[in-house]
Structure formats: structure tokens, C-alpha cells
Amino acid sequence: MRLRKPVLGVIVVVVVGLGGLVLTAGTTAAQGGLLGARYTPGAPGAGDAYFPYAGNGGYDVQHYDLALTYTPPAAAPAPIVGRLSGVATIDLVATQDLNSFNLDLRGMDVQAVKVNGQGVREATPPAPGDVPAGPGYWQIQDDDARVWELTIQPRPKLKQGQTARVVVTYGGDTVRPEDIEGALYGWVTTRDGAMVVGEPEGSMTWYPVSDHQTDKATYSFDITVPEGKVAVANGLPRGDPVTAGGWTTWSWDAPDEQASYLTTASVGDYDLRFSQTTRGLPVIDAVDDNLTPANAAATEAGLALQADMIAFLEDTFVPYPFNSYGSIVDDDSVGYALETQNRPVYSRAAREFTVVHELAHQWFGNAVSPQRWQDIWLNEGWATYVEWLWSEATGGDSAQDNFDGIMAIPAEDEFWDLAIADPGPLGLFEGAIYDRGAATLHALRTRVGDDAFFAATRVWLTRYDDSTATTENLQSIFEEVSGQDLGSFFDVWVHTPTKPTI
Ligand SMILES: [Zn+2]
């Protein structure tokens, strides 16, 4: 059951008042003391200052197995509303003695929960200060406060180090969710399917998840859609699609750990194409049948360059980090592309410089992810800088030309009014995150020299592979490799909201 607003308002006010602890941890701790128990609730967030309820504490997810059945909207003029039902099987390890733990889930209704084979019944959310003794699960869905939490209180409780298999059966109508800025994201229902793009915390709109990149996991998918539709997720297909009774199941395995925001399971009228690079990397593209002729032509030209771009990035940095690549190009109105892991999603067209940008993210953002959302310039600055490098390598403007173009922006322009290493949750996708970010990297390259710059970048990509890192970690590596103190450089370029003087 999904709780409705009037009840929730009361709970959430208290929750927010407690500084983000949904489960009234103070009371629990007191009771724990009395009883001598060490079991406490897992935190309702991963500790990200920008999105305090994204992700969760108290456990580490190893694997998500998602069995989804999706019915896209009917033809116009029916509303653009789909229907999703799912069974998520989540393998996790408790990292503390857990009385209860949370998953993030938005707009979906939970019908059943099992922990290690043991059914957990739906319960009424406890009143503030109340700690229910028995097993139960409950949901908080507060769109205004942007708090969407599923709490599971299993019995027996989970001991630190214990593995648990959590099976959540859920479903609901799919709509067109919006992020904190009002942009479409998550499971974006389209007339012909869904474009699934979860950055920064939109994956919770389609499966129960610890929706923060600090808890990377592997994935497998079985996505059942009406016969004729194609469902494309991360990784590689597990066998051929299976059709029965008017439905087709598409199965995918993504064995490389990935951040939750990089998960996709897009559904549409796609033409699937299988190829491989000269170095043997499988490439699977899914291109919507209904692109306009101009968008189709730009997309063909962009996708044809993917193998060369991969070789260019491998030769410049380190080998491609995952088991496959390819692009999903959807005819939709989302209006942006996202670097979903090993299979970016593009809205309407995959143009050359967007393609190289999303490809660059496979190294910068996906293999090495920002530890906190405030570090997003590490994603976008690098991906933009790779666009500059690609331009130079293919006879276009040089990186220096692009840098000079940014530095020609007058100091009084508001472009410079952003400390890119802490842009705030509404500033994640400001232009300066991209362009000042890239200019910062070019200035850094000029400062330390090409040898140290590329050597340090390879250290960055190797040391934090399959993990997350911060701006401070980047600075440390560049200091280590170059032997220079870069404190004032980073202060000026990423921490100060004025134009750097060089
Ligand atoms: Zn990007």
C-alpha cells in the first residue's frame, strides 16, 4: 500500500526536524541501551549533503536482479501513463547490526517483501518516537519534501556481516517524474515505451534501490514488454529474447559494478544493431525507428565514430573499463543524453560531440564516480575536456582554442559566479560545471605539463576504478605525480566563485 499525503505530512515534519533520521533513531538508541541490544536502524540516506535521502546506510548491496513487466501507454489521445510491475531481488551485506533498513522507492506501491525467504508484512508507519517491535515494512511517499523511503524491519534482525536476500514485489503507474530542478528523469514514460535516465537519484522511480553511487552493485534484468517492443538495459544480452502469449522478455546481464543512477532499461521501437570494435569489444546500439530524417542522419554519423572514439580514449588514458558498449537513441522529449553505464541514452539524436562526451563518461563518472554530488564537475569537466581533445585530434579547434574561448568570457559575466566544486543541488548542470570544469583541467595541464597531466589522470582512473572519489582526491593525485603544491590552484579554479586570473 502506498501512504497518502495527509498521514505522511505529520510524519515527515518530524523526520525532517530530526535532521534526516526517518526512524527516530534517538528513541531506538535509548531502547537499545535499556535492552542491551546493538541493533539500530540503518540510516535513511547515504550522507550526501545535496540529496540527504538518496541511498541508505547500514548495508552494502552486491547485486540487483530486476524482473520487470511493462505496459507502455495506449495510443493517443490516451494519457502518457504506463504500467510497471516488478520483482526486485536484492543481495546485500549488513554493515552494522540492523534493526531495520531502508530502500529508496518513489511512486511505486510495494505489495510484498521477503528477507531471506521470510515474509515481512505491511505495517502502519510508526508514530514519531514509537519503535515497533515486530517485523513489518512501510512506505513514506512525500513528493513535497522529496522523501521516498521503504523501511523494512525483518525478523530475525540482521547481524553485521550477514548477507541477506531481499525480495520486493511492487508496481504502479509510470508517469514522467521530475528531478529537483524540474527536469524529466527516472522512468520517463514515452508514447512508445520509456526512456530511463536516473541522474542524480531517479532510479528509485522504477526499482527499490540504495540510490547513491557510493553503493555500486552488479545487475541482471528480465524485462517483459508487449511483443514488438524492445527493452535495452546495461551490459550484454543473456540469450535471445523469448516471446510467448504476446509478450517478449529481454534479458541482460551487467556484471561490472555500477552506480544506481547509471542503470537503464529503456523500452521502445528500437532497431538493434550488434557490432564490435577492432579490439573485440561488443557494441550494441538501439536506434528508434521513428527519428526524423535529419536526426537519423546525424545519429548514423555519430554512432559510426564510436569505435574510433573508444580507441582514442584508450590510447589517451587507460583501457575501456567495461564489457560492452553501445547507445540507445530514443525519439522522445526528454531533451538530454545520459551516460548510463556502457549504454548511454540519447534524446532524439546522437551527434558526434555528444557521443564522445557520453563515451568519455564511461571512464570519468562511471568507472570513477563522484563520491558526493557536489563533485559533479569531475564528471562534466572531464567529459567536456575529452570533447576538446577529440576536436583537436580530428582537425577541429584545439583544446587551447576552446580554453581561450572560455577565458574570453568577461570576469563580470555570471558564468564565473559558481564555485564548481560546490554548486548546490540546483546547480549540478550549470554550464560552468561543464565549461569551467574543462577549462580547469586544461589550466591544470598547462600548470603541471603534459607528462604529469596524463600520468596523473591514469593514476586517477586506476586507483578509483569501480569506486568513487572527491575533488580533494584528484588534487592529491596531481600533487603526488607532479610534486607541486596545487592548493592555491584548486582554490582559485574550483572553490572560488570568480574568474581565475592566469
Ligand atoms: Zn555529461
Side-chain angles (χ1 to χ4, degrees):
M1 186 195 82
R2 183 161 154 203
L3 282 170
R4 306 289 165 196
K5 252 325 174 13
V7 182
L8 292 178
V10 177
I11 295 162
V12 169
V13 167
V14 172
V15 163
V16 171
L18 286 171
L21 292 172
V22 162
L23 291 176
T24 59
T27 311
T28 306
Q31 287 208 346
L34 284 173
L35 301 170
R38 298 151 297 156
Y39 293 88
T40 51
D48 196 295
Y50 288 7
F51 300 96
Y53 291 94
N56 299 284
Y59 62 87
D60 177 15
V61 177
Q62 310 296 300
H63 184 78
Y64 294 91
D65 178 77
L66 304 178
L68 309 175
T69 300
Y70 180 57
T71 308
I80 302 185
V81 174
R83 182 80 199 169
L84 182 69
S85 59
V87 178
T89 302
I90 304 166
D91 291 325
L92 56 81
V93 179
T95 55
Q96 67 183 63
D97 289 340
L98 279 174
N99 179 64
S100 63
F101 61 92
N102 280 20
L103 289 160
D104 305 312
L105 184 63
R106 170 178 173 185
M108 291 278 124
D109 213 8
V110 172
Q111 286 124 23
V113 172
K114 277 187 180 178
V115 178
N116 290 331
Q118 200 75 37
V120 178
R121 266 195 245 154
E122 184 187 0
T124 309
D130 231 21
V131 181
Y137 75 82
W138 55 89
Q139 285 184 268
I140 290 178
Q141 298 281 307
D142 189 307
D143 293 348
D144 294 336
R146 299 188 70 83
V147 179
W148 301 285
E149 297 286 332
L150 164 65
T151 299
I152 298 172
Q153 186 157 293
R155 291 294 177 268
K157 300 171 188 178
L158 299 179
K159 270 196 87 59
Q160 182 175 357
Q162 187 183 340
T163 57
R165 172 160 288 185
V166 181
V167 181
V168 180
T169 304
Y170 64 98
D173 288 341
T174 67
V175 289
R176 291 166 68 80
E178 293 179 359
D179 69 10
I180 194 169
E181 292 186 66
L184 293 170
Y185 82 152
W187 187 282
V188 181
T189 306
T190 58
R191 182 61 72 189
D192 67 356
M195 174 166 166
V196 182
V197 284
E199 192 181 27
E201 28 68 282
S203 286
M204 67 174 82
T205 62
W206 59 284
Y207 64 98
V209 55
S210 188
D211 205 354
H212 196 265
Q213 57 274 17
T214 44
D215 192 357
K216 293 187 178 185
T218 57
Y219 284 80
S220 48
F221 307 85
D222 296 287
I223 309 155
T224 300
V225 291
E227 187 175 352
K229 295 288 174 191
V230 179
V232 185
N234 311 91
L236 287 168
R238 184 185 341 111
D240 292 326
V242 175
T243 299
W247 294 85
T248 301
T249 301
W250 298 82
S251 299
W252 297 82
D253 282 324
D256 297 311
E257 286 202 27
Q258 66 189 40
S260 54
Y261 75 92
L262 299 172
T263 313
T264 194
S266 291
V267 176
D269 298 322
Y270 301 127
D271 174 24
L272 270 184
R273 303 141 178 210
F274 297 81
S275 60
Q276 58 177 359
T277 65
T278 51
R279 296 176 189 177
L281 183 76
V283 177
I284 303 170
D285 294 318
V287 180
D288 197 303
D289 285 345
N290 302 309
L291 302 183
T292 65
N295 285 338
T299 296
E300 296 308 328
L303 298 186
L305 293 166
Q306 288 181 128
D308 287 348
M309 290 169 173
I310 292 169
F312 171 72
L313 275 148
E314 288 190 325
D315 295 344
T316 306
F317 299 111
V318 299
Y320 179 76
F322 307 122
N323 75 349
S324 61
Y325 194 60
S327 296
I328 301 168
V329 188
D330 201 20
D331 172 30
D332 64 78
S333 56
V334 172
Y336 63 86
L338 184 67
E339 64 269 21
T340 41
Q341 189 149 307
N342 59 41
R343 193 134 306 115
V345 182
Y346 300 81
S347 185
R348 292 195 169 141
R351 296 173 201 285
E352 176 177 351
F353 281 88
T354 313
V355 172
V356 81
H357 178 108
E358 305 310 334
L359 175 64
H361 276 309
Q362 306 306 312
W363 287 260
F364 300 102
N366 297 9
V368 181
S369 305
Q371 191 166 313
R372 314 159 296 206
W373 282 113
Q374 73 179 69
D375 296 311
I376 191 163
W377 83 275
L378 295 172
N379 284 13
E380 302 308 342
W382 275 113
T384 304
Y385 194 57
V386 169
E387 291 182 55
W388 295 6
L389 296 177
W390 176 254
S391 168
E392 181 167 321
T394 54
D397 288 349
S398 67
Q400 185 66 42
D401 293 338
N402 273 293
F403 177 79
D404 292 344
I406 298 302
M407 296 313 287
I409 299 172
E412 56 276 16
D413 193 290
E414 65 179 17
F415 173 82
W416 299 108
D417 296 347
L418 191 72
I420 57 172
D422 192 8
L426 296 172
L428 292 184
F429 305 107
E430 288 288 321
I433 295 292
Y434 296 72
D435 294 334
R436 183 173 177 165
T440 298
L441 294 166
H442 190 75
L444 184 59
R445 178 179 169 186
T446 305
R447 165 75 183 257
V448 302
D450 277 11
D451 288 351
F453 179 81
F454 288 102
T457 306
R458 285 188 280 270
V459 172
W460 168 256
L461 291 169
T462 306
R463 187 174 296 170
Y464 296 106
D465 184 32
D466 283 342
S467 186
T468 61
T470 63
T471 300
E472 291 72 23
N473 295 143
L474 185 81
Q475 181 181 332
S476 293
I477 285 178
F478 274 80
E479 289 183 338
E480 187 183 309
V481 173
S482 70
Q484 297 187 28
D485 178 350
L486 298 170
S488 58
F489 176 92
F490 275 85
D491 275 349
V492 165
W493 278 93
V494 306
H495 298 300
T496 306
T498 54
K499 182 177 178 178
T501 49
I502 50 164

